[in-house]
Structure formats: C-alpha cells, structure tokens
Amino acid sequence: MKAKLFLVLKFLALVVLYFILFTITSATLLPRLQQTPADNEPLSALSALLIMSVVNTAVLTYITLRSRWAGLKLMVTLALVFFGVATFMPQIESAVFVRTLPPGFLSRLFLAGFLFSCLYTPLLVLLLDKKRQTEVSGPAVTMSSTEWMIRLAIAAIVYVILYFTFGYFVAWQSATVRAYYGGGNLNGFLTQLSETWRATPWLFPFQFLRGLLWTLLALPIIRMMRGQTFEKGLVVGLLFAGVILQLLIPNPLMPYEVRMRHLVETASSNFLFGCLVVWLLNSKHAEIDE
C-alpha cells in the first residue's frame, strides 16, 4: 500500500515537473504571438497544458516502469523518442502546411521541444528509480534484414493510407478546415485523392517518409518494454496519440474548430497506426516475461 501511495506521489511530482518545464522552455524560447480573443475556446491554456501534462506523463511513466533498460541508455532513448514524437514529427508537417508562422518561430519550436525532452526525461528516470536497476536482455529478433525492410515499407504504406483516409473522412468534412487550407469541395474520397495527386504529387512520398519515421520511433519502445504485443501496441498507440493534445492549447495561428478536427483526426489515426505497427514489427519476437 505504501509503495503504491509513493508511486502516486512520484507521478504527481512528475506532472508538476512536466507542467513547469514545458511552460518555462516555451516562455523562454518561443516569441510571444499576438493573441486575438476567441469566444469558442472551452479550455484555457493552463487547463489544456495540465491535461497534456497528465496524459503524457502517464504514458511516459508506464513506459519507464515497464522498461528493461535503465540509466543513461533509458534517458537518452526516451529523450530522443519523445522529441521525435512530440516535436519533430508534428512540426515538420507544420513547416509544410502552415503558412502563417512568424520568421524563426519554427526553429524555436524545435529547440524548445528538444530542450524540454532533454530536461524532463532524465528527471523522469531518476525519480522513478530506474538509474541503477539491472537490465534484462530483450527477446532475440528473428527477422532477416530483407524482412525488416519489407515490414518497414508496409508500415509506411499503412501510414499513408491512414493519413489520407482519416484526413478526408474526419478533417476534410469540416467546411472550416477546407476554408483554412484554401477551400475545396467534397467530391468523394477517390476523386479527392486523385486531385491531390495531380496538385501535390510530392505529398505522397513525403507522408511515406513520415510513416517510416513514425515506425522507427516505435522500435525503441518495442525493444525496451516488457510484455506482450497487445500491451506494447496499446502503449505506442497512446504515446503517438497523446502528443496531439498540444492542439488543445489555444493559439492565434489555428482556429479552435480546425484544431479540434485535427486533434480527432490525428489522435485516432496515430493511435491505430501505433497499434498496427507494433503488431507488424513485434509479432515474430513477442515475449512472455512480465
């Protein structure tokens, strides 16, 4: 009972640390944007940040406690994975689609995200007492290099399919979203896909590359975590989906309805992709140790 209470207190401390470090790094490195009043924002920035802090801390705490790795190896891995998932992957898409970013803002976003990940994850590992524990060897990977390449390519193709499917049937159904990106009509999924191919053919290989990167970010979690494929898939899905909660935070660059549509679209597709990619890559070396 005392151990569980102590763990709860550690978790609450980590939530507070997440909240404080995210606030400090953002306030220090990001330029202040001109805010405009928004009557339809149901959450304040502080409330949204608190929700994001709780969810992401919960997922990272679970990964850390279930990890067979420890110490510096765990710290570095978590820092790189979380930076990739929470900052790099979302913001490379912002660089492509968001045309209203102030000069230098995107580079500062990357720097703030990197600094936050490098500060927070070591504290997470230390507070959860994973600094000296003996590592347990992971399951042997039985796939050949050719099979790995095939599965990575399949995972990237799956990501592209999910991206365009959820993009059309969730986000593009909103007239506000269509207007935000310059207009467009609902001509049917296949017609929309064909028009996208004619107008921006580069978008398909770009999303294929993003699918590969998302897959590579899942690999360390698969490797480090104890448990069955189902558990790992659920955790990776939640990690990929939880970082999208940044869209809850009000900002003057993207209207509320556009953000919420993208939140539902991306969180659901990322969660599904996370589950699928773990099943695809972990099915040959699932383990039974707890």
Side-chain angles (χ1 to χ4, degrees):
M1 184 63 182
K2 288 184 179 179
K4 291 182 179 179
L5 178 60
F6 198 43
L7 180 59
V8 170
L9 293 176
K10 286 183 177 182
F11 172 74
L12 294 176
L14 286 167
V15 171
V16 173
L17 281 172
Y18 190 108
F19 188 97
I20 292 174
L21 286 175
F22 189 91
T23 302
I24 292 174
T25 53
S26 299
T28 303
L29 294 173
L30 299 183
R32 188 181 298 274
L33 298 174
Q34 184 66 38
Q35 296 287 337
T36 54
D39 297 330
N40 61 340
E41 293 282 357
L43 288 175
S44 66
L46 291 179
S47 299
L49 178 54
L50 181 59
I51 293 172
M52 186 177 73
S53 301
V54 171
V55 172
N56 288 340
T57 298
V59 176
L60 290 173
T61 297
Y62 190 87
I63 292 172
T64 302
L65 292 175
R66 293 289 286 156
S67 173
R68 62 169 57 85
W69 297 352
L72 183 61
K73 182 179 182 180
L74 179 59
M75 293 177 188
V76 172
T77 303
L78 284 179
L80 292 176
V81 169
F82 192 68
F83 168 71
V85 169
T87 302
F88 184 79
M89 294 305 298
Q91 299 312 330
I92 59 172
E93 203 168 35
S94 297
V96 172
F97 292 112
V98 181
R99 305 297 185 184
T100 54
L101 291 174
F105 186 79
L106 192 61
S107 61
R108 287 175 173 266
L109 271 176
F110 280 106
L111 179 59
F114 181 74
L115 182 60
F116 171 78
S117 298
C118 290
L119 290 173
Y120 181 70
T121 50
L123 295 174
L124 176 83
V125 172
L126 292 173
L127 196 56
L128 294 175
D129 199 27
K130 293 286 288 186
K131 53 186 180 296
R132 298 191 187 93
Q133 296 180 18
T134 303
E135 294 187 21
V136 180
S137 298
V141 179
T142 58
M143 288 187 283
S144 65
S145 57
T146 301
E147 190 171 0
W148 267 114
M149 293 177 62
I150 292 173
R151 292 195 180 211
L152 288 173
I154 292 173
I157 292 170
V158 168
Y159 180 81
V160 173
I161 293 171
L162 291 175
Y163 176 87
F164 285 107
T165 301
F166 279 75
Y168 180 81
F169 288 104
V170 179
W172 205 245
Q173 300 301 307
S174 167
T176 304
V177 172
R178 297 197 301 273
Y180 179 77
Y181 291 108
N185 299 313
L186 293 174
N187 298 321
F189 177 65
L190 295 179
T191 301
Q192 182 69 35
L193 207 60
S194 177
E195 292 176 354
T196 302
W197 176 261
R198 287 197 298 270
T200 54
W202 56 265
L203 186 57
F204 292 84
F206 174 69
Q207 295 304 337
F208 181 88
L209 175 61
R210 290 185 76 236
L212 281 177
L213 293 175
W214 278 114
T215 304
L216 293 175
L217 287 169
L219 285 175
I221 307 300
I222 295 172
R223 183 64 179 161
M224 76 166 64
M225 275 190 64
R226 298 178 175 88
Q228 300 287 344
T229 299
F230 174 80
E231 179 184 358
K232 296 178 182 181
L234 188 62
V235 169
V236 172
L238 290 173
L239 178 65
F240 284 5
V243 295
I244 308 303
L245 291 176
Q246 294 182 65
L247 290 172
L248 289 174
I249 302 175
N251 71 77
L253 300 176
M254 188 175 288
Y256 171 74
E257 184 177 341
V258 176
R259 297 200 322 271
M260 292 307 99
R261 281 281 182 163
H262 279 314
L263 190 151
V264 174
E265 168 213 356
T266 313
S268 56
S269 61
N270 277 12
F271 176 78
L272 181 57
F273 178 71
C275 295
L276 289 174
V277 79
V278 172
W279 172 81
L280 183 64
L281 299 181
N282 195 59
S283 57
K284 278 215 167 187
H285 53 275
E287 59 176 306
I288 59 174
D289 72 294
E290 294 297 328

